[in-house]
Amino acid sequence: RVSYADLPSSWRACTSLDAVILDAESELPDERQMEMLARYTAAGGTLIVLGEEGAQALAARSPLAGCFEARHERASAGRLTL
């Protein structure tokens, strides 16, 4: 588990990961971190967001708003939102 403060500044540092999982229930990444995550997903990385309210807040905020296009499926199982 890594805090948002410990996220790398470059999306390239995440390319060895199968996915980045955000726990958006309690807090959200800052603008710099969201930009890095948007670049990571644009390069083909997988972003999983936990927490429906947090996912909605991220979907409404730029630059991650483009990661939540209609073509992406949303699945809910209790508190889990993808």
Side-chain angles (χ1 to χ4, degrees), residues 37-75:
L37 292 168
R39 289 181 181 182
Y40 166 72
T41 58
T46 300
L47 177 65
I48 300 170
V49 180
L50 304 178
E52 187 168 354
E53 289 180 23
Q56 290 173 353
L58 288 174
R61 293 177 65 183
S62 180
L64 280 176
C67 298
F68 293 88
E69 298 172 7
R71 64 185 176 89
H72 294 96
E73 291 188 31
R74 179 175 166 264

Side-chain angles (χ1 to χ4, degrees), residues 25 49-52 73-82:
E25 275 295 309
V49 180
L50 304 178
E52 187 168 354
E73 291 188 31
R74 179 175 166 264
S76 293
R79 287 183 22 160
L80 176 64
T81 300
L82 304 177

Side-chain angles (χ1 to χ4, degrees), residues 1-55:
R1 184 173 181 135
V2 175
S3 71
Y4 288 134
D6 295 327
L7 282 174
S9 58
S10 171
W11 64 269
R12 289 177 182 89
C14 296
T15 58
S16 64
L17 303 173
D18 291 328
V20 172
I21 302 171
L22 297 182
D23 180 358
E25 275 295 309
S26 58
E27 65 179 308
L28 298 175
D30 65 26
E31 289 294 321
R32 178 193 62 80
Q33 295 158 337
M34 285 193 290
E35 181 65 37
M36 183 277 293
L37 292 168
R39 289 181 181 182
Y40 166 72
T41 58
T46 300
L47 177 65
I48 300 170
V49 180
L50 304 178
E52 187 168 354
E53 289 180 23

